Amino acid sequence: MALAVLMGTLMMAQERFSTIRGVVKDASGSVIPGVSVTLLNSETGRPNSVETNDTGIYIARNLEPGRYEIRFEKTGFARVDLKEVSLSLGRETTADAVLEIGATQQAVQVTEAAPLIDTGGVTISSNVTAEEFNLLPKARSFQSVVLLSPGVNSGQIEGGFQINGASGAENQFFVDGVSTNSLVDGRSRQNGAFEFLQEVQVKTGGIDAEYGGALGGVVSAITKSGGNQFHGEAHYFYGGSGIAAGPVERLLLLNPYSNAGVNPSYQQDSKNPNNQHEFGGSLGGYLVKDRLWFFSSYSPQFVRRENTYLFSSGTERDTIENKVTSQQLFNKASWNAAKNVRVTASWLWTPTKNTGILPAYNGYGNAVISSKAANAPLKTQGWTQPQSNYSGQVDWTISSTSLLSFRGGRFWDNFRTWGIPTTASVTYQTSSVGIPDVPANLQQAAGYLNTPRTQQTFYDITTRTYFQGDFSKFLTGFLGSHDIKIGAGVQKNVNSVDVSYPGGGYVWVYWGTPLNIPGGGTDGGKYGYYEVDNTGTRGGTGGRMVNMYIQDHWRLTPRLSLTLGLRTENEHVPSFNRAVRDDAFSFGFSQKLSPRLGLSWDVTGKGKLKVYASYGRYYDWVKYETSRGTFGGDFWTVKYRALDTTDVFSLSGVNMPGRNIWPFGDYEDRRLASFDAVAKDLKPMSTDIYNAGVEYMLSNSLVVRAGYVRNHLVRTIEDMGALVNGSETYIFANPGEGDAKKFATSTATPVFDTPKPQRDYDALELSINKRFSNRFFASANYVYSRLYGNYAGLGNSDEIRTPTTGTSSATTQQSGGSIARPGSTGSRAWDLDQYLFDAHGNFVTGRLATDRPHVFKAYGSYKFKWGTDVGGFFYGGSGTPMSTVVMQRQRIPLFVEGRGSMGRSPLLTQTDLVVGHELKFGETKRLRFEFNAQNVFNQKTSRHTFNQLNRGNASGDPASALDLTNTNLFNGYDYLGMLKSIASTGKDPYDPRYGMADLFNPGFTGRVMVKFVF
């Protein structure tokens, strides 16, 4: 045999490219210098050429992922051609060749498949290529394939994607190397259609030092490039109500804050028209053959919805139309500026425009409590979200073993609204029905309003700009071989924002209800009381972060490899009031030292059995919600006034008749800026991740893996609160450390040692993967895990607001809020001492709200000979823990019986299916028809249970809330007795929805596609 091929993979932490290397020898085993190695991309036809050095080694870096043909040539030896070599994103593939004496014109072709075992690397990753995701069921953006990876769960409770126990705000998402996370709260912000993507990778362990800012995983989407052949496609997608199930059930309770709210029920809303059309195309090719290439793609999507409403609790019929236009325009240019210099530049433009806001149903059937006139402004309200992603890279191949790269990019993200009425929104929090002297037209149920409560966003602009330089060098001769990479870069982040409510704030009216004063007592007016909440964000700021790293992939022997890396960062977190303070706080290089260590052993020396282990410390990039919320951007004042007038719809932030009934001043301040309340020894949030496992290759296309993962939270940053004159004041600290070792109490509890944050994820992962061969590919994995502690993370799954509450967690740069609280260092955790205890005097700890002990996934696709293919994905996971909570005066949820006291939500299963058929026209043209079905069995499984025992939820019902001001929490408290005491006053404090399912998995949705490929 003329060629001995050894394939392995070694993670190079390249965000956009792949690497291949090898050694070329003759039949006697001597190395051959000066061998020409040509790598031809099978899809684009673009060649890359390198030569072996004096030791017979060649290395080609920064290659675009895909399939390649490799040709080895040297005068006096027979040429060797290696076919079908797959290069995956961020991985190094090794191909060693043996050349035999002969004429160069003689060629030996080798077609063996590359083994799947990476004998030299420790990174745990899942790579989904275009060949695979084109045959799998999925949504329209790359995030939809992230769930395929072991250790990943997703949903509204998770707040996005939870990777290895880390919350949805603690991952990094990259498109062509540019971070597309929300600068404010860490969510993934930019979509990418599969038509212009080459590969999607999810790293979940053993991540190299090049990466920072991720406590869970790193998701990278890599775009396609043009080549020496013209290729393209034209497509059309349709999805909508015609091929989808009806909406999920809606849990309804009218008058939830009064004794009248006693009969919760499930409502099945009608299926309203909803049509989604998307058409577009892609084209790639060359402008100058072998020198200059391009790839362009455009795919606009048009969504048209119509909801029919019965306003005024069913007496006024009307229809509101919603129009959404989303566009995705992608352009990329690639240029071989010189033989050893390559340049790439790309631009992704993803604007969205929405006209017409659809209010949620809040009555029986398709009814809405408020009037037709009150909702009329929603027809012309709207928002727009322009986004742009720019990136560029220059690669200079200095020698056959050295590469210098410079890259930069920018993600620009904005959100703004229009058409918001200038009048203040006034909403009944309790019913006015039956209250004496209230005019008949004003006697309405809770939830009645004059105009929907909507923030007006004049602008909320974030930009993330980075520049990075990297140098890579391959060395031999010192205790084996070294693949060394060093780099440094700078990132500049900016946020400018102007968000507020019209009329100086929104108004909540509590008819017939007095205000419960903290510490005891009540007050109110003739008709009750009202509050005016003036809340929003204004200002502009920016911060800088510098990073440096070094990484060595060190092969000590052919069977033993070490991965040694170190990353460090200098991070400046800005204030929103530069006149007071430039930086809110900062972390120096010495505070963010991030080691990355790993070991990999080829047990048999044959590349079929590998044992590996790794450790890494990973630091968070502080979200700008911190700058906004704690250091001068956010404002939130609440004014409480006696209600002595029935002219409630004239109330606003500038018209507040009635006596001030807040005894601690003119207002309660819920967003006191804390410029001088930063712990002097503040440390960055970090986690330690450990991986260990074994991989075994059963055949050339089948690999099994067993691995252990531990993700241990080292520390977090949180605002720790106390009550001062009824308002919450904070210190920004690491709970349980430094200035925050002791907790300042707001009850009769003596000062105590602050519990440190705990979040430990331990998991056993079992997987089997078959790569594409014999017409099919498949993968299955099972994860047995435990997520345990007292802290959910930056995305807080302990603060859940389901649709039945009529509220949601405020979320930046989007219309409407979220079910789970988005990424924040200012959640309710550690806000008051009451949050930390259960009702029995114990600190609250246990399995966290997104813990799923058993998760099984399977996916794959089969291609039939006659052109039909069938692909599927199955997900099955344990339910999540449910815990009884009781709300107290400051709207903090109390885990009165600890975590998991209500058992778990039901087992969650979902099956997705795709069926396609292709008609071929010649060698390169084909017409594809496809039907994509999400949740094909229409399993609308409950994902959450209403778990608040007393009325009020996050919107607050002070009359039903507990007041623990005079309680020693170590002694526990009788919360049931307290609720009974409230009930004895004639107020029913119990929420009848307690224990009922209130959030459901979406039902079946279908999508058809027609695509012409050429």
Side-chain angles (χ1 to χ4, degrees):
M1 192 68 178
L3 178 67
V5 182
L6 173 63
M7 292 290 187
T9 52
L10 180 62
M11 178 63 66
M12 287 298 295
Q14 296 285 355
E15 294 175 353
R16 300 174 60 181
F17 299 105
S18 306
T19 299
I20 188 170
R21 69 174 174 126
V23 60
V24 181
K25 299 179 180 180
D26 62 21
S28 69
S30 300
V31 299
I32 309 176
V35 176
S36 173
V37 183
T38 302
L39 302 104
L40 185 69
N41 188 300
S42 301
E43 182 176 352
T44 66
R46 289 170 52 182
N48 289 275
S49 298
V50 294
E51 287 189 354
T52 58
N53 63 9
D54 292 340
T55 61
I57 293 175
Y58 74 93
I59 186 164
R61 302 180 185 273
N62 285 19
L63 299 173
E64 292 167 346
R67 293 186 181 273
Y68 283 79
E69 298 179 7
I70 307 176
R71 174 170 294 181
F72 300 88
E73 296 178 292
K74 184 174 176 64
T75 302
F77 293 88
R79 189 182 81 231
V80 171
D81 293 335
L82 180 61
K83 304 290 187 180
E84 294 294 305
V85 178
S86 294
L87 302 188
S88 295
L89 169 62
R91 292 184 173 181
E92 183 180 87
T93 299
T94 302
D96 298 336
V98 175
L99 304 189
E100 296 182 349
I101 300 295
T104 306
Q105 292 78 13
Q106 294 177 330
V108 178
Q109 292 191 358
V110 181
T111 58
E112 290 98 329
L116 299 177
I117 292 288
D118 165 11
T119 59
V122 296
T123 296
I124 309 301
S125 68
S126 298
N127 290 57
V128 186
T129 66
E131 182 181 40
E132 293 173 333
F133 60 60
N134 285 339
L135 298 173
L136 289 173
K138 57 192 176 296
R140 286 293 295 133
S141 186
F142 72 92
Q143 294 93 336
S144 62
V145 300
V146 174
L147 189 60
L148 302 179
S149 302
V152 179
N153 291 295
S154 70
Q156 293 175 305
I157 301 300
E158 289 81 358
F161 293 97
Q162 178 180 286
I163 300 179
N164 285 346
S167 76
E170 299 168 25
N171 307 304
Q172 282 294 320
F173 291 82
F174 294 96
V175 177
D176 271 352
V178 177
S179 174
T180 56
N181 291 68
S182 166
L183 181 65
V184 180
D185 59 35
R187 292 169 297 136
S188 175
R189 283 287 297 168
Q190 190 174 38
N191 292 334
F194 289 99
E195 279 68 31
F196 56 82
L197 295 182
Q198 180 64 35
E199 190 167 338
V200 179
Q201 182 193 63
V202 183
K203 301 183 186 73
T204 58
I207 301 172
D208 274 359
E210 183 173 353
Y211 290 93
L215 307 186
V218 176
V219 180
S220 300
I222 302 304
T223 59
K224 294 180 178 179
S225 301
N228 282 337
Q229 302 168 6
F230 287 96
H231 292 287
E233 54 82 28
H235 61 260
Y236 170 75
F237 291 89
Y238 169 76
S241 53
I243 48 174
V248 298
E249 289 184 317
R250 172 169 55 90
L251 178 59
L252 173 67
L253 176 65
L254 296 179
N255 299 307
Y257 310 131
S258 74
N259 293 3
V262 293
N263 294 309
S265 62
Y266 289 105
Q267 300 297 307
Q268 181 58 67
D269 299 326
S270 301
K271 184 165 67 169
N272 288 296
N274 178 2
N275 294 291
Q276 304 164 21
H277 301 273
E278 181 177 353
F279 60 87
S282 305
L283 179 65
Y286 61 89
L287 298 175
V288 179
K289 200 167 187 178
D290 292 331
R291 291 292 301 274
L292 182 61
W293 304 270
F294 75 93
F295 186 89
S296 294
S297 180
Y298 181 56
S299 191
Q301 183 183 85
F302 305 92
V303 179
R304 299 295 182 263
R305 298 175 61 189
E306 284 186 0
N307 279 13
T308 298
Y309 294 93
L310 300 174
F311 292 110
S312 296
S313 298
T315 62
E316 296 180 300
R317 186 182 183 89
D318 198 9
T319 298
I320 297 180
E321 184 180 8
N322 170 243
K323 299 179 180 179
V324 181
T325 301
S326 302
Q327 302 181 71
Q328 296 197 49
L329 174 63
F330 175 73
N331 291 288
K332 185 176 186 179
S334 307
W335 178 37
N336 279 1
K339 182 179 180 180
N340 58 345
V341 177
R342 289 181 294 156
V343 180
T344 60
S346 64
W347 170 44
L348 175 59
W349 182 59
T350 55
T352 300
K353 182 179 180 180
N354 180 101
T355 302
I357 304 298
L358 302 177
Y361 297 115
N362 59 8
Y364 295 114
N366 283 25
V368 172
I369 294 172
S370 53
S371 68
K372 176 180 175 180
N375 288 275
L378 295 178
K379 294 184 177 182
T380 56
Q381 285 183 29
W383 52 267
T384 185
Q385 178 181 284
Q387 297 175 322
S388 286
N389 176 332
Y390 312 89
S391 67
Q393 181 158 335
V394 178
D395 298 321
W396 175 25
T397 304
I398 300 172
S399 70
S400 60
T401 58
S402 303
L403 177 71
L404 182 63
S405 296
F406 297 98
R407 50 195 168 99
R410 189 183 199 204
F411 179 46
W412 187 91
D413 190 8
N414 187 21
F415 180 85
R416 67 178 181 87
T417 61
W418 68 79
I420 311 296
T422 58
T423 57
S425 172
V426 180
T427 306
Y428 289 11
Q429 294 299 99
T430 58
S431 173
S432 62
V433 175
I435 295 181
D437 300 328
V438 176
N441 66 313
L442 294 179
Q443 295 207 11
Q444 302 289 344
Y448 190 74
L449 50 80
N450 63 335
T451 188
R453 178 165 65 98
T454 308
Q455 276 191 326
Q456 52 187 358
T457 302
F458 296 102
Y459 54 86
D460 194 346
I461 302 171
T462 62
T463 60
R464 191 192 298 269
T465 307
Y466 84 97
F467 296 96
Q468 184 80 24
D470 305 289
F471 175 71
S472 304
K473 179 67 176 178
F474 182 79
L475 301 171
T476 58
F478 177 73
L479 297 179
S481 64
H482 299 262
D483 207 339
I484 299 174
K485 188 173 184 180
I486 60 175
V490 61
Q491 184 177 127
K492 175 68 175 179
N493 303 320
V494 175
N495 182 208
S496 298
V497 58
D498 188 351
V499 179
S500 62
Y501 282 98
Y506 60 87
V507 180
W508 281 352
V509 179
Y510 294 87
W511 292 100
T513 304
L515 172 68
N516 281 14
I517 306 298
T522 62
D523 200 355
K526 177 180 178 181
Y527 300 105
Y529 79 97
Y530 67 94
E531 67 175 70
V532 179
D533 290 63
N534 185 23
T535 179
T537 308
R538 288 195 185 98
T541 194
R544 184 187 73 256
M545 182 170 61
V546 177
N547 77 80
M548 297 183 293
Y549 74 90
I550 182 170
Q551 186 79 47
D552 182 11
H553 290 282
W554 179 8
R555 193 178 288 270
L556 278 164
T557 72
R559 295 170 57 186
L560 182 63
S561 299
L562 297 179
T563 298
L564 307 174
L566 180 65
R567 179 184 179 88
T568 184
E569 297 168 344
N570 183 319
E571 182 179 16
H572 292 262
V573 181
S575 157
F576 251 77
N577 191 336
R578 295 295 181 85
V580 175
R581 190 170 183 160
D582 192 38
D583 281 348
F585 53 90
S586 62
F587 299 120
F589 288 115
S590 63
Q591 293 176 286
K592 298 189 74 173
L593 292 174
S594 177
R596 314 287 171 90
L597 308 173
L599 179 148
S600 180
W601 179 37
D602 182 356
V603 178
T604 64
K606 298 180 179 180
K608 290 190 174 184
L609 178 62
K610 182 185 79 169
V611 176
Y612 66 90
S614 69
Y615 160 78
R617 173 160 291 186
Y618 302 87
Y619 289 95
D620 179 55
W621 292 347
V622 177
K623 313 301 183 277
Y624 273 34
E625 184 278 335
T626 298
S627 298
R628 292 159 63 130
T630 308
F631 298 98
D634 287 358
F635 56 90
W636 186 4
T637 61
V638 185
K639 296 184 178 181
Y640 301 91
R641 298 293 186 264
L643 183 61
D644 297 316
T645 177
T646 60
D647 188 16
V648 292
F649 292 123
S650 69
L651 301 176
S652 70
V654 294
N655 179 39
M656 294 178 289
R659 180 170 47 86
N660 175 22
I661 57 175
W662 183 247
F664 307 109
D666 186 49
Y667 55 83
E668 177 187 8
D669 195 334
R670 295 181 179 170
R671 283 294 183 273
L672 285 171
S674 304
F675 293 104
D676 298 319
V678 179
K680 62 179 179 293
D681 55 352
L682 188 70
K683 297 179 177 65
M685 182 180 182
S686 62
T687 191
D688 287 339
I689 300 180
Y690 305 82
N691 293 90
V694 57
E695 292 184 41
Y696 180 66
M697 189 167 66
L698 296 172
S699 69
N700 283 340
S701 63
L702 190 64
V703 165
V704 294
R705 182 176 73 87
Y708 167 72
V709 181
R710 178 173 175 80
N711 189 338
H712 167 70
L713 183 71
V714 177
R715 63 175 53 88
T716 192
I717 299 172
E718 266 289 346
D719 55 347
M720 295 176 55
L723 288 176
V724 178
N725 293 329
S727 294
E728 297 176 47
T729 60
Y730 299 95
I731 177 175
F732 211 68
N734 304 122
E737 300 183 48
D739 294 345
K741 284 184 178 179
K742 299 291 184 179
F743 204 101
T745 63
S746 300
T747 59
T749 309
V751 173
F752 56 89
D753 291 336
T754 304
K756 289 186 177 182
Q758 180 185 3
R759 187 185 67 193
D760 289 316
Y761 175 80
D762 294 275
L764 171 66
E765 295 182 354
L766 304 175
S767 67
I768 182 168
N769 294 280
K770 182 193 179 301
R771 70 169 159 204
F772 199 93
S773 64
N774 299 322
R775 299 186 175 276
F776 80 101
F777 70 90
S779 178
N781 60 77
Y782 165 74
V783 177
Y784 173 64
S785 67
R786 186 184 80 152
L787 180 59
Y788 188 90
N790 60 10
Y791 177 65
L794 296 178
N796 195 344
S797 53
D798 287 337
E799 298 181 54
I800 300 298
R801 302 188 183 186
T802 55
T804 187
T805 68
T807 67
S808 59
S809 289
T811 306
T812 61
Q813 294 184 304
Q814 74 175 38
S815 177
S818 301
I819 300 293
R821 185 164 183 167
S824 171
T825 53
S827 71
R828 279 322 217 171
W830 290 279
D831 270 8
L832 293 178
D833 52 351
Q834 303 165 42
Y835 180 85
L836 303 173
F837 289 82
D838 64 20
H840 306 287
N842 305 308
F843 290 126
V844 175
T845 189
R847 288 187 180 254
L848 295 173
T850 54
D851 173 64
R852 294 189 186 273
H854 304 278
V855 174
F856 174 77
K857 305 175 189 177
Y859 66 90
S861 180
Y862 185 84
K863 282 184 145 185
F864 294 94
K865 294 181 179 180
W866 55 83
T868 299
D869 56 81
V870 178
F873 170 61
F874 173 81
Y875 175 95
S878 303
T880 54
M882 297 305 308
S883 307
T884 297
V885 298
V886 175
M887 201 65 69
Q888 54 81 265
R889 171 64 182 78
Q890 283 73 34
R891 304 176 185 175
I892 291 178
L894 306 177
F895 291 82
V896 290
E897 296 294 342
R899 293 185 178 274
S901 58
M902 296 175 66
R904 289 182 176 269
S905 61
L907 173 74
L908 176 65
T909 60
Q910 178 171 319
T911 303
D912 303 334
L913 184 70
V914 62
V915 179
H917 185 78
E918 292 187 355
L919 302 175
K920 292 186 176 181
F921 304 92
E923 294 184 1
T924 61
K925 299 180 181 66
R926 64 186 191 273
L927 183 64
R928 178 173 177 81
F929 301 90
E930 181 180 287
F931 182 73
N932 198 312
Q934 304 284 308
N935 196 358
V936 68
F937 297 119
N938 198 31
Q939 297 172 285
K940 299 179 180 179
T941 308
S942 168
R943 300 193 69 159
H944 187 266
T945 301
F946 193 92
N947 61 331
Q948 185 172 313
L949 185 59
N950 59 340
R951 298 181 188 268
N953 201 269
S955 62
D957 179 12
S960 298
L962 298 191
D963 188 348
L964 302 181
T965 305
N966 301 315
T967 302
N968 182 338
L969 297 171
F970 282 110
N971 296 334
Y973 53 91
D974 182 6
Y975 68 94
L976 293 175
M978 293 178 176
L979 293 176
K980 288 180 181 179
S981 178
I982 295 173
S984 68
T985 67
K987 167 67 177 178
D988 178 8
Y990 303 101
D991 197 309
R993 293 169 292 184
Y994 175 76
M996 299 179 70
D998 63 349
L999 188 68
F1000 301 90
N1001 203 42
F1004 162 76
T1005 58
R1007 187 177 66 248
V1008 296
M1009 180 200 77
V1010 179
K1011 180 180 288 187
F1012 179 67
V1013 182
F1014 59 92

